[in-house]
Amino acid sequence: MRESFNFFKKAFRTIMSVLESTEIKLETAISPKVKADDLCVTTTNTNTDAARSGGRLRRKKCAILMMYSGWGFYGMQRCPVFPTIEGELSKALFACGQLESLTGEEHKKFHFQRASKTDKSVSALGQVCSMLLGENNDLISKLNDALPENIRILDIIRTTRCFSAKGSCSHRVYDYLLPTFALSPSSFSTSLNDSSCWNYRVTAEQITRANHLLGRYQGTHNFYNFTSGRLATDKSCNRFIISAECMPAFLLGEHEYTLIRITGQSFMLHQIRKMIGLMLAILKDYTQEDIFDLVFQRERVDIPKAPGLGLMLNQVDFSQYNQKYQNDGIHDPIDWSKYEERRDKFKLQYVYEHIDRVETEEKSMYEWLLTLNNHTYTYRDSSEHTATINNNNNINNNNAETLETSESIVPLDDVGNADDKSTHIDDDDDDDNGNVVTTTDDVIKDDSDIPLKRERLAL
């Protein structure tokens, strides 16, 4: 029943978007001298000086470039119960007169959208939100004054009217800050303890081996085994990975780290953490490389999930949008290189130092590595799971022709060519007002994901 509801919901949204685009084309055809980009929204706002004097606030579509430290927040999206990044941003926009209220309807009214959803405690060094903003020369400084110091606005850029932070985004780049002792071979790991592990220095051979394994993720695969809460037949489990690499090692104080950088169209819950977890398990000989022949299939395979501490959003990319509009004489490109110095300073102060401090105190990576032997790295024995797959295979076969068009993966070359279309697969976990649906169980549930072997269950 829920699947049918979601199908008709998506179909309705598609029809409405087509009607809206047709309406815009008709308006432009009637008034050819008026460019679509020059069409503005005017609203009254009781928080602005213009409104107090009886004026109206003229709005144009803009991209808000921001960076933030995710610790202490329950993700990016607005939530009425828990503190989130968007919640803080909305309060700042309200204080600056850009929002008349903090409701979901108000955000929809001004076409608010984010480029990427980040989970609880995940930081971002290059996030983008889009919405209709009123003209204000001091808006960046006013927003930063109203925001906590661990959330910073880098820039506000005028965009095309149909720009969408989500739909116009070509791809997303995630980083994972990894202590290099996690890459140590199994023969060396036995001699390490929770204090001597920091003395390990990774070799070039281990970096090369890690890059070889990460290369197995490139391309389009079924990442059903790398997420949760989805059926094996769900076509949205097919994701396109552009690149995955292990960067050269570097020192944070006396501790050596490396960066795992993964670039893809979009990602699912836990996907990156499980990709890294499986790579580390192979490096340490808990399983063999031929497990890749299993994990991209539709049967559930028991694989580990790396700790979430080191995960961060590096940036969201708009290269397709930039290529199309940056030379039109009106719009500036969304180019992160212009803010590299500020991003590096913020990254060290609010992200890297925090990760290093927490890792030193809590030893999350070291203790997680000790649990790798608890996984079976093979099919999970669940008759109920198999029955569910068979049942959904029948459903999928009956609806294959319909689903093929609505949920297929978009080739990379087509991403971002149409500003008003969402061209990447993303989790549809919003309510009708754009708020993330969060329950108490989602927040307090155990995140260990460490199943026991059958022989241990028998004890």
Side-chain angles (χ1 to χ4, degrees), residues 55 115 120 244 248 336 364 415:
K120 177 184 176 182
W336 295 107
S364 59
V415 175

Side-chain angles (χ1 to χ4, degrees), residues 178-392:
L178 181 72
T180 55
F181 63 76
L183 299 176
S184 61
S186 56
S187 58
F188 191 89
S189 299
T190 56
S191 62
L192 296 178
N193 55 45
D194 57 358
S195 57
S196 65
C197 61
W198 291 110
N199 297 328
Y200 176 79
R201 293 296 180 260
V202 70
T203 64
E205 289 77 13
Q206 286 299 98
I207 295 288
T208 302
R209 174 65 172 158
N211 278 319
H212 169 73
L213 295 175
L214 290 171
R216 297 293 298 267
Y217 292 118
Q218 293 184 19
T220 300
H221 301 285
N222 184 348
F223 284 93
Y224 161 69
N225 276 303
F226 295 82
T227 188
S228 60
R230 293 174 184 258
L231 297 175
T233 54
D234 190 342
K235 289 192 175 182
S236 67
C237 290
N238 292 327
R239 300 286 162 141
F240 179 65
I241 302 300
I242 300 172
S243 65
E245 60 178 328
C246 181
M247 313 293 284
F250 59 93
L251 290 175
L252 283 179
E254 298 180 354
H255 298 163
E256 187 180 62
Y257 287 87
T258 183
L259 270 182
I260 306 294
R261 178 160 294 171
I262 301 179
T263 304
Q265 278 186 340
S266 60
F267 299 91
M268 297 179 291
L269 180 68
H270 302 324
Q271 180 182 341
I272 295 176
R273 292 169 61 187
K274 287 205 168 189
M275 291 169 65
I276 295 173
L278 180 60
M279 180 269 291
L280 294 177
I282 298 174
L283 273 180
K284 292 187 171 296
D285 297 326
Y286 288 103
T287 185
Q288 301 301 314
E289 188 176 345
D290 58 8
I291 193 176
F292 284 108
D293 297 331
L294 304 180
V295 294
F296 295 135
Q297 304 302 318
R298 291 185 174 183
E299 289 287 344
R300 181 64 76 183
V301 178
D302 178 20
I303 57 177
K305 178 176 64 181
L309 177 63
L311 184 63
M312 70 196 81
L313 174 65
N314 179 281
Q315 66 182 53
V316 287
D317 183 87
F318 293 86
S319 55
Q320 297 282 348
Y321 169 83
N322 291 341
Q323 183 179 2
K324 188 174 183 179
Y325 293 107
Q326 67 181 352
N327 296 321
D328 63 0
I330 301 175
H331 304 98
D332 294 326
I334 300 177
D335 182 9
W336 295 107
S337 63
K338 296 189 298 184
Y339 320 102
E340 201 65 34
E341 183 177 350
R342 295 169 60 189
R343 293 175 68 211
D344 286 343
K345 182 179 179 180
F346 184 91
K347 174 176 63 178
L348 290 174
Q349 181 178 358
Y350 291 99
V351 183
Y352 281 15
E353 289 185 2
H354 175 88
I355 293 175
D356 183 53
R357 182 174 65 255
V358 174
E359 181 62 42
T360 303
E361 295 173 354
E362 300 182 0
K363 305 176 178 62
S364 59
M365 177 57 68
Y366 175 81
E367 293 182 356
W368 174 80
L369 291 172
L370 299 178
T371 69
L372 289 176
N373 191 45
N374 295 340
H375 294 266
T376 61
Y377 304 97
T378 186
Y379 295 123
R380 288 183 178 175
D381 185 15
S382 173
S383 57
E384 179 181 354
H385 173 68
T386 304
T388 302
I389 291 178
N390 293 335
N391 179 54
N392 284 282

